[in-house]
Amino acid sequence: MRFPYLATLGAAAVLAVAALPAQGETTISGAKTHAELAAIEDAVPVLEAWIDHFGTYPRVETVRPRIVLVPAGKMAAISAETAHHGPATRGAYDAETATIYLQRPWFADRVYDRSILLHELVHHRQTHARHWYCDQAMEWDAYKLQETFLDQAGIEAGIFWLAIALESSCAVRDHHPD
């Protein structure tokens, strides 16, 4: 499947998608149609190549994320468990199981929906790249990359940066002993 946003990647990143080494496949569940499954399968390597080009976190070669499409009601419960943004959350990442949750409906032809998957793929890389004093500390970088992705597509991200700064600050109450 071809996506119009490939032009935003640049020639080097597009070539990187074609040259990707064979890896363990990302497991996808909750897709209702073969087309929906194929759209996510097609989107992941393109988004990974975009992150390679514009991000600073290395690919995780050893653990492939699992992607699960869930209804809105289940997403609210998941986002509460994974310390994300509550009922407005459209995606979440569970580092313990390397699972990305995407709220239904999710459409590969919607740039904003792809940006949510991109955001969660960034979290997958972040958890394997280094130690974080609190999970919320990862949000700033993930939102910056999501904003860049949306900007390249000509879409205003509408991110409330003060809230993200406060959330990602890791107040003393958020520190967890390791």
Side-chain angles (χ1 to χ4, degrees):
M1 174 178 279
R2 293 192 171 270
F3 295 106
Y5 63 91
L6 278 175
T8 66
L9 287 174
V14 172
L15 291 174
V17 171
L20 291 175
Q23 302 174 7
E25 290 188 26
T26 298
T27 305
I28 302 165
S29 61
K32 292 188 176 180
T33 66
H34 178 68
E36 187 175 56
L37 177 66
I40 294 172
E41 288 173 341
D42 289 347
V44 169
V46 172
L47 294 173
E48 290 278 16
W50 189 93
I51 297 167
D52 288 342
H53 189 72
F54 293 99
T56 60
Y57 299 101
R59 276 186 195 242
V60 180
E61 301 293 343
T62 56
V63 179
R64 298 300 302 154
R66 193 174 130 227
I67 299 173
V68 180
L69 290 158
V70 297
K74 186 169 182 179
M75 180 55 78
I78 291 167
S79 65
E81 292 172 12
T82 57
H84 283 273
H85 302 283
T89 299
R90 300 276 330 272
Y93 179 70
D94 181 346
E96 289 183 26
T97 62
T99 303
I100 293 171
Y101 295 95
L102 298 175
Q103 180 177 307
R104 292 184 135 308
W106 186 91
F107 299 102
D109 61 342
R110 291 185 185 165
V111 175
Y112 188 78
D113 284 4
R114 286 193 312 273
S115 81
I116 293 166
L117 177 55
L118 176 125
H119 181 107
E120 302 309 331
L121 286 168
V122 170
H123 285 323
H124 178 68
R125 289 181 180 211
Q126 288 173 316
T127 60
H128 291 88
R130 69 181 185 98
H131 172 76
W132 298 87
Y133 288 104
C134 70
D135 291 341
Q136 296 86 342
M138 294 184 279
E139 292 300 333
W140 184 269
D141 288 350
Y143 275 110
K144 287 302 284 181
L145 285 167
Q146 184 177 7
E147 180 182 55
T148 300
F149 181 81
L150 290 168
D151 283 349
Q152 289 177 356
I155 296 173
E156 175 65 37
I159 296 169
F160 184 45
W161 287 107
L162 178 59
I164 301 305
L166 291 173
E167 178 183 355
S168 62
S169 68
C170 287
V172 174
R173 65 174 164 64
D174 294 327
H175 288 218
H176 302 287
D178 287 344

